[in-house]
Structures are given as structure tokens and as C-alpha cells.
Amino acid sequence: MASELKNDRFICALLRQSVDVTPVWMMRQAGRYLPEYRETRKRAGSFLNLCKTPELACEVTLQPLQRYPLDAAILFSDILIIPDAMGLGLNLVENIGPKFDKPMRTASEIKSLSIPDPESDLGYVMDAIRLIRKELGGSVPLIGFSGSPWTLATYMVEGGPTKEFGLVKGLMYDDPASMHHLLNILADSVVLYLNAQIAAGAQAVMIFDTWGGILTPLSYQQFSLHYMQKIVSQLDRQYDGQVIPVTLFTKGGGDWVKDIAATGCDAIGVDWTKNMGDVRAEVGGQVALQGNLDPCVLYASPEVIRQEVAAVLESYGRGNGHVFNLGHGIHQHIDPENVAVFIDAVHELSAQYHN
Ligand code: CP3
């Protein structure tokens, strides 16, 4: 399995095969907490330029791996470049977050959307993947990713960050047909996009459903999970003789893990609001689990970081199927030294849980 990789712990753990120590990576591992990221970002001129210049995207993808013994690299990009490629016009506004020039608020605006072609409209992502694979030289696997249709739709309808989700949920309740039309176009776009990432060299893929947890249990099934299921069933799960594991991460979705596992995904991302042991008891026979240290633990002292890592490892328990991660992305004000303590603690303290 994944025999060309020098370190295949991450892939093995996702497939619930045995490993020597628990593999670890961090959501948002390439980002603003690293001074070298801030330097490259400045050089790029803008966040979008960084995403759209394969050499620079490659450079920042590799930065955290040069500092820490991480078990996977994740493509540097953003979930919002799909709507950008659909013509919505993405801007990242300092201290506010992502904004679209042309949000999708009406049935006719939604009807006018079309599916981007991954190789022509998003070719810079595929070029970045090919370059990163070359630079990694088989040291660790490369993760590709996308947003979930529901999470992409929240940004497209709201037009920017929100705490209340009134516009997108209003549209969902008031005009479900338009919402389903939008989600179908996004699901088809994500399938093409992730399959193109796999063909370009992504060795595992992850779908970020950051806003699935704001839905009611029933609307989660209908408006988020249904479309992730559709994507899982259409992905190229084998490529070039290798299995391509698929991870689904619904933030706030801890109560719905049985349904998430039933999509046929290989692994589920777990945020910090659940005990890993409890989730494992529910679905550990079907899927691997990824998580779930509270990202705020990294503000604490090295002693506390080690204790909290130990607690997550103990909660998951002995055996296969655990990929260590934070329960959500790393914050920008974290001290990079604390990240080193965290990564080392996972490797050192997890050996006793594997034979
Ligand atoms: O994990 C990684 O290291 C890969 C890179 C990555 C980014 N965004 C880079 C980024 C990934 C996987 C994402 C996913 C993403 N983007 C999600 C899903 C995961 C999650 O965090 O919930 C979402 C919801 C987005 C949308 C998005 N992009 C937001 C809300 C923001 C602003 C947030 C902030 O911290 O200011 C972005 C911008 C963004 N994407 C940054 C990075 C490193 C910060 C950009 C900068 O100022 O340099």
C-alpha cells in the first residue's frame, strides 16, 4: 500500500491499517502563525495571487514540513476558489475575511451559474499539485481538498462571513428548489475538481463542511450530507494502483457520525466537542477518525500541551484508525514553538498505543 511513500503512516491510518506511531498533521498548517508564510504572502502581494501562483503555493505548502516532522502535506489553496472560478469575484479583506463581489441571492442568479472546468479554469491548482508532488519526492503524502457544497453555498449566498446565516438559511427554507439547484451544481463541480486533483497527484482528499453544524438534523441530511454522499460515490477512489482515502469533516457534526460513516467515506474529521473514544465506539468499526485537540490548547504551556495530547490519545485508545489533528484550523497567534511541542508529543506518546 502506498509503497512509493517513504512515510505512509497517514494513508495507513486512514485505511485502518497498522502504524508504528499515530500520524499527525494540522488543518491550516501552512498559514499566518508562521513568519515564513507571512513573508511569502507579502511577496505574493495578495492571498489570491499566492493561491494562483503554483511556485508560491508550493513554497508555502512545504514550509510547515521544513519545520516539523508532519506526516502529511496539504495543498495550499482555499475552498473559495471554486466560486471564484464560477465568476463571483473573491477578495480576502484584511481582518474581515473572504468576500464575494457578486453573491448569489436570487433564483435567476443561481440559474446562471455553470460548472468550472478544472484543467482550464482551475489549472493553477493542478500545476501546484504536480509541483508539490515533485518537490516532496515521496517523503509524505499530499492531501487535496474542497469545501462541501453546503459550506461553499453559505459563502456564495451570504457573500462573506456571517454569524447568523440568515440569507443562506432563508433561501433554503423559502426556495428549496433554488438551493438544491445550487448544491447540485456545486456537487458536480467538486467531483470534477477533486478527481482532477487526484489525477494531478493528490494522494488523499478531504471535504471541509465547516458550516454543516449550523443546520437542523433534518436539513443537515438534505442540504449537506446528501451532496457529500453524492461526491463520495463519484470520486476516483483508486488511482494509479493506490487507494485514495476520502475524509469528511463536518464541524459541529459530532451527533451525526453514524450517518456520515454511512456515506462510505474512509475517515471522519472530529472537532473538539466530542470524546474520540465515544465517537470510536459509535463508528470506529467502519471508518478512521481524525482529530481532535482543541486548537486553543496550543496557547498553553508545553506541559499542558503534552497532557492534552495524552488525553486525546488515551480517549481514542489502542489500535489502528487514528489520525491526530486539531479539531479545527490552527489560529494565527499561536507560537510556532508550541506546534513543535505538539507534533513531537503525538509521536512520542502514541507509540505505546501501537504494537
Ligand atoms: O490547511 C491548510 O494549510 C491548507 C490551506 C487552506 C486554507 N484555507 C488557506 C487559507 C485550507 C484547507 C482552507 C480551507 C478553508 N477556507 C475553509 C475550510 C476549513 C475551515 O477552516 O473551516 C474555509 C471555511 C475557508 C474560507 C476562508 N479562507 C476563510 C474563512 C478565510 C479567512 C479566515 C482567516 O483566518 O482570516 C480564508 C483565508 C485563508 N485561507 C487564509 C489561509 C492561510 C488566511 C489568508 C491570509 O490572510 O494569508
Side-chain angles (χ1 to χ4, degrees):
M1 195 58 60
S3 52
E4 89 285 12
L5 282 165
K6 296 184 187 98
N7 171 355
D8 66 355
R9 272 179 202 140
F10 170 70
I11 301 287
C12 290
L14 288 174
L15 300 176
R16 292 181 291 143
Q17 297 167 354
S18 66
V19 287
D20 56 343
V21 294
T22 304
V24 55
W25 69 281
M26 288 186 301
M27 290 189 263
R28 294 277 178 99
Q29 65 190 19
R32 285 169 300 188
Y33 73 102
L34 289 176
E36 56 271 34
Y37 170 85
R38 298 195 295 268
E39 194 276 318
T40 311
R41 161 90 145 82
K42 201 183 285 167
R43 203 153 26 94
S46 72
F47 176 68
L48 264 189
N49 247 348
L50 183 51
C51 291
K52 293 185 179 182
T53 311
E55 293 71 24
L56 297 179
C58 175
E59 184 179 311
V60 293
T61 298
L62 300 177
Q63 285 170 350
L65 291 121
Q66 281 146 8
R67 273 191 187 246
Y68 314 115
L70 292 156
D71 296 295
I74 180 163
L75 162 71
F76 186 84
S77 186
D78 197 85
I79 63 166
L80 299 179
I81 57 146
I82 286 190
D84 184 60
M86 289 173 156
L88 274 69
L90 175 64
N91 294 297
L92 197 77
V93 187
E94 211 65 51
N95 300 321
I96 296 186
K99 286 223 169 244
F100 286 113
D101 298 331
K102 265 183 53 186
M104 295 289 111
R105 303 251 165 92
T106 64
S108 64
E109 283 165 343
I110 289 171
K111 281 231 168 65
S112 72
L113 286 170
S114 53
I115 298 169
D117 178 72
E119 282 293 345
S120 58
D121 302 327
L122 294 158
Y124 58 89
V125 174
M126 309 313 149
D127 289 341
I129 290 176
R130 287 184 277 263
L131 192 57
I132 296 163
R133 276 296 302 274
K134 192 166 133 236
E135 294 293 317
L136 282 173
S139 52
V140 292
L142 176 62
I143 307 166
F145 70 90
S146 169
S148 72
W150 168 255
T151 292
L152 294 175
T154 61
Y155 286 98
M156 292 170 76
V157 175
E158 296 286 342
T162 169
K163 289 207 162 69
E164 286 159 354
F165 300 93
L167 292 169
V168 68
K169 289 176 104 176
L171 183 73
M172 173 185 84
Y173 286 118
D174 222 25
D175 184 1
S178 290
M179 183 55 80
H180 282 299
H181 182 76
L182 175 56
L183 294 167
N184 263 311
I185 288 182
L186 286 167
D188 292 344
S189 301
V190 170
V191 168
L192 289 178
Y193 180 54
L194 287 179
N195 281 339
Q197 289 189 26
I198 292 167
Q203 290 150 298
V205 294
M206 173 157 168
I207 299 178
F208 288 90
D209 186 30
T210 306
W211 301 122
I214 64 158
L215 291 165
T216 65
L218 181 61
S219 53
Y220 175 70
Q221 298 269 345
Q222 295 171 336
F223 292 91
S224 182
L225 191 61
H226 171 78
Y227 293 96
M228 291 200 284
Q229 154 94 73
K230 183 171 168 177
I231 295 165
V232 170
S233 71
Q234 293 181 44
L235 288 178
D236 296 330
R237 306 285 289 274
Q238 296 237 6
Y239 192 85
D240 213 10
Q242 304 294 328
V243 178
I244 311 293
V246 179
T247 301
L248 301 185
F249 172 57
T250 293
K251 183 160 175 277
D255 287 346
W256 307 323
V257 289
K258 280 205 168 90
D259 298 315
I260 300 172
T263 60
C265 63
D266 297 285
I268 297 180
V270 182
D271 69 27
W272 62 88
T273 61
K274 288 277 162 180
N275 289 316
M276 289 300 265
D278 294 344
V279 180
R280 186 182 189 189
E282 274 197 83
V283 293
Q286 283 166 273
V287 289
L289 299 178
Q290 176 169 282
N292 73 343
L293 191 77
D294 181 351
C296 291
V297 166
L298 298 182
Y299 289 112
S301 66
E303 298 72 48
V304 172
I305 294 170
R306 286 175 62 87
Q307 276 165 27
E308 295 290 328
V309 165
V312 171
L313 289 169
E314 192 189 347
S315 176
Y316 188 87
R318 287 190 62 78
N320 304 331
H322 185 196
V323 171
F324 212 108
N325 205 312
L326 304 176
H328 197 201
I330 183 170
H331 297 185
Q332 65 170 308
H333 300 298
I334 294 297
D335 180 347
E337 293 295 318
N338 286 7
V339 174
V341 172
F342 159 56
I343 304 295
D344 288 344
V346 173
H347 287 150
E348 197 186 309
L349 302 175
S350 66
Q352 60 178 307
Y353 293 95
H354 303 279
N355 286 321

